[in-house]
């Protein structure tokens, strides 16, 4: 058995889940894209928690491929899991780091007892990762790593129709399970 993977087109800040994953940057202090939207919608509580992380465990920032949780402020979730995707490189294979974002986010979610987790398409925005390859890595890693005893659903929230179609094709190509 594998964990059900659900695809949704829309804004991740409008989702209800135990944990929402943020495509953060290593500063943890906010940015554009998903990161900006999460801080805007979630309010200052999330940024305050991120500042505390910078002042304690993550003085140099959160390394690429790692994940850390905060509260979710005003979002309809219990936790935000911040993870830093790799910047796409045409000359260096950074796939393992993108896989690690998904694996580590799931590990943190499991530690928190979060049974439904919503991911954005990490690295496919400002970090320019080609969406089809990101879909292959994201869905492949979740299929391998998400223990069905620990999770009820893993959701990918794709901002636009094109990304939703690409993730959908990847899921269909893998079959039901
Ligand atoms: P990264 O820096 O990891 O590339 P971005 O936030 O720039 O992260 O983009 C990641 C993906 O999230 C892109 O495909 C972008 O279109 C999408 N995105 C941007 N805003 C939102 C949002 N509010 N909800 C869901 N996805 C979003």
């Amino acid at each position: 058995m594998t964990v059900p993977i659900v695809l949704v087109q829309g804004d991740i800040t409008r989702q209800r889940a135990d944990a929402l994953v943020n495509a953060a940057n290593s500063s943890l202090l906010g940015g554009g894209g998903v990161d900006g939207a999460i801080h805007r919608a979630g309010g200052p509580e999330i940024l305050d928690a991120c500042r505390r992380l910078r002042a304690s465990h993550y003085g140099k920032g959160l390394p690429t491929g790692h994940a850390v949780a905060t509260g979710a402020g005003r979002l309809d979730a219990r936790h935000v899991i911040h993870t830093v995707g790799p910047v796409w490189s045409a000359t260096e294979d950074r796939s393992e780091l993108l896989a690690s974002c998904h694996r580590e986010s799931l590990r943190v979610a499991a530690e928190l007892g979060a049974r439904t987790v919503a991911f954005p398409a990490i690295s496919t925005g400002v970090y320019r990762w080609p969406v089809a390859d990101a879909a292959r890595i994201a869905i492949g890693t979740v299929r391998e790593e998400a223990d069905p005893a620990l999770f009820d659903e893993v959701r990918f929230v794709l901002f636009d129709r094109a990304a939703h179609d690409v993730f959908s094709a990847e899921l269909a190509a893998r079959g039901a399970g």
Side-chain angles (χ1 to χ4, degrees), residues 10-13 23-24 32-35 37-38 85-86 120-129 131 157-160 163:
D11 179 343
I12 196 165
T13 67
V34 175
D35 203 8
I38 281 184
I122 298 166
S123 287
T124 65
V126 174
Y127 288 175
R128 304 186 316 276
W129 204 289
V131 177
V157 185
L158 295 320
F159 205 40
D160 55 45

Side-chain angles (χ1 to χ4, degrees), residues 16-20 78 109 113-118 150-155:
R16 165 182 287 178
D18 293 332
L20 303 179
R78 288 194 284 128
R115 298 190 61 87
T116 56
V117 182
L150 301 180
F151 297 98
D152 297 325
E153 177 186 316
V154 173
R155 196 179 310 153

Side-chain angles (χ1 to χ4, degrees), residues 75-136:
L75 295 168
D76 200 358
R78 288 194 284 128
H79 312 281
V80 171
I81 298 173
H82 307 263
T83 188
V84 183
V87 176
W88 163 257
S89 166
T91 54
E92 187 188 351
D93 182 5
R94 299 177 180 167
S95 306
E96 178 46 38
L97 287 168
L98 187 54
S100 174
C101 288
H102 295 83
R103 196 163 49 236
E104 288 298 301
S105 295
L106 291 170
R107 187 184 58 74
V108 169
E111 270 174 23
L112 294 165
R115 298 190 61 87
T116 56
V117 182
F119 281 90
I122 298 166
S123 287
T124 65
V126 174
Y127 288 175
R128 304 186 316 276
W129 204 289
V131 177
D133 199 53
R136 178 184 65 78

